[in-house]
Amino acid sequence: QVQLRESGGGLVQAGGSLRLSCAASGNIGSINTMAWYRQAPGKQRELVARIRSGESTNYADSVKGRFTISRDNAKNTVYLQMNSLKPEDTAVYQCSVSSTLYVLWGQGTQVTVSS
């Protein structure tokens, strides 16, 4: 069974850090792009960060310099290191993985940043 499993969300104070993980399992094929999206209440889903197979990355302007996306190809896992968190980072974070066979979405993990 092909699936994504996310972990690492939670409650943190402003200025704190969290690390999200998303592992793909099953016969997923060759993975191309791995990404993190987020959706806050009442807002549209937005791309937070993306990393391609060649390790090139893109970030939303709001997280540049604070968040870092990385991947471990041997483990089919993508990470999002989030530092200097702000209350406006509060959202459900969802990973997405695009491979030669699938486009998969994780179930989402809640990140709440208190002021």
Side-chain angles (χ1 to χ4, degrees), residues 21 29 31 33 37 45 53 58 69 80 84 92 96-97 108-109 115:
S21 299
I31 294 176
T33 302
Y37 291 78
R45 185 171 62 190
S53 57
N58 298 99
I69 190 170
L80 185 67
S84 302
V92 174
S96 177
V97 172
T109 184
S115 57

Side-chain angles (χ1 to χ4, degrees), residues 71-83:
R71 60 192 285 173
D72 184 334
N73 293 324
K75 297 180 179 179
N76 286 343
T77 299
V78 60
Y79 305 97
L80 185 67
Q81 177 67 43
M82 304 185 293
N83 299 328

Side-chain angles (χ1 to χ4, degrees), residues 10-53:
L11 173 64
V12 65
Q13 289 187 331
S17 298
L18 283 174
R19 188 193 194 206
L20 305 183
S21 299
C22 174
S25 60
N27 184 22
I28 194 171
S30 178
I31 294 176
N32 298 315
T33 302
M34 308 179 88
W36 287 96
Y37 291 78
R38 69 184 180 187
Q39 187 167 19
K43 295 187 177 181
Q44 289 187 333
R45 185 171 62 190
E46 64 172 345
L47 174 67
V48 177
R50 175 172 53 207
I51 183 167
R52 295 180 174 83
S53 57

